[in-house]
Amino acid sequence: MTKTHLDITAAGTLRAIDKYIKSNKGSGSIDDFFGEDTNGKDTMMKKVFALRKAVADTQENRKNTAYIHCHADQIDLAHNFVKSCKKKLSSRINDTNEFITQLGECLYTIQSFYSNTNWVEMYGGKVYENFGINTLMDVAALEEDTCLDNADY
């Protein structure tokens, strides 16, 4: 089943929140954590949907910025962009709206790495833990042929 960036963002965000609650708050789930506090849960869900919107806005508003989409020879720039996000996010910690916008751009770029490169075909479901963190793996040169012809097609 194909998932959109919106689906991936919502599911991943809720999974991360649930994991945080289980690890740090001793509660079994998001529902257990909020209990009768429907306002608190509603506020959290509004922020999750704002993040989904930030991802969608990035896809539309930055459609002509190749590295945001991890296109072809732009993977190195995408990697460096994601690396720069940590500092940008730290500086926006007191402005929730700007923080969510920046996080949306970062998440969109990470998602685009998996959807617009051949990583999944080469490594399956294995996470590339160094993307945007440490040194980027070797990337094929622009003139290097990375596809093989298949005589069966």
Side-chain angles (χ1 to χ4, degrees), residues 145-153:
D145 186 9
T146 58
C147 298
L148 301 173
D149 290 332
N150 186 334
D152 294 336
Y153 293 99

Side-chain angles (χ1 to χ4, degrees), residues 28-124:
S29 68
I30 291 172
D31 289 333
D32 292 340
F33 176 76
F34 283 104
E36 300 296 318
D37 182 8
T38 56
N39 289 334
K41 186 175 179 185
D42 184 52
T43 299
M44 180 203 70
M45 291 306 296
K46 285 178 182 174
K47 297 301 180 188
V48 170
F49 286 112
L51 183 57
R52 286 180 69 205
K53 183 178 181 328
V55 168
D57 289 349
T58 299
Q59 186 171 17
E60 178 60 28
N61 298 338
R62 308 277 314 262
K63 62 184 169 193
N64 295 323
T65 308
Y67 70 85
I68 293 290
H69 309 282
C70 291
H71 287 170
D73 60 337
Q74 302 294 308
I75 295 171
D76 192 42
L77 290 174
H79 168 74
N80 289 326
F81 172 74
V82 173
K83 281 177 73 170
S84 74
C85 286
K86 184 176 180 180
K87 187 174 186 178
K88 290 177 191 174
L89 288 168
S90 295
S91 71
R92 289 168 172 82
I93 198 75
N94 294 320
D95 185 343
T96 305
N97 292 332
E98 276 300 311
F99 182 89
I100 288 172
T101 297
Q102 183 64 51
L103 183 57
E105 289 182 356
C106 185
L107 289 174
Y108 177 83
T109 303
I110 293 168
Q111 292 169 12
S112 292
F113 170 77
Y114 292 101
S115 61
N116 294 335
T117 69
N118 63 350
W119 177 267
V120 174
E121 289 82 5
M122 292 174 60
Y123 301 101

Side-chain angles (χ1 to χ4, degrees), residues 2-18:
T2 301
K3 295 188 188 249
T4 67
H5 288 285
L6 295 175
D7 298 330
I8 294 166
T9 301
T13 303
L14 291 171
R15 188 179 306 154
I17 292 168
D18 191 61

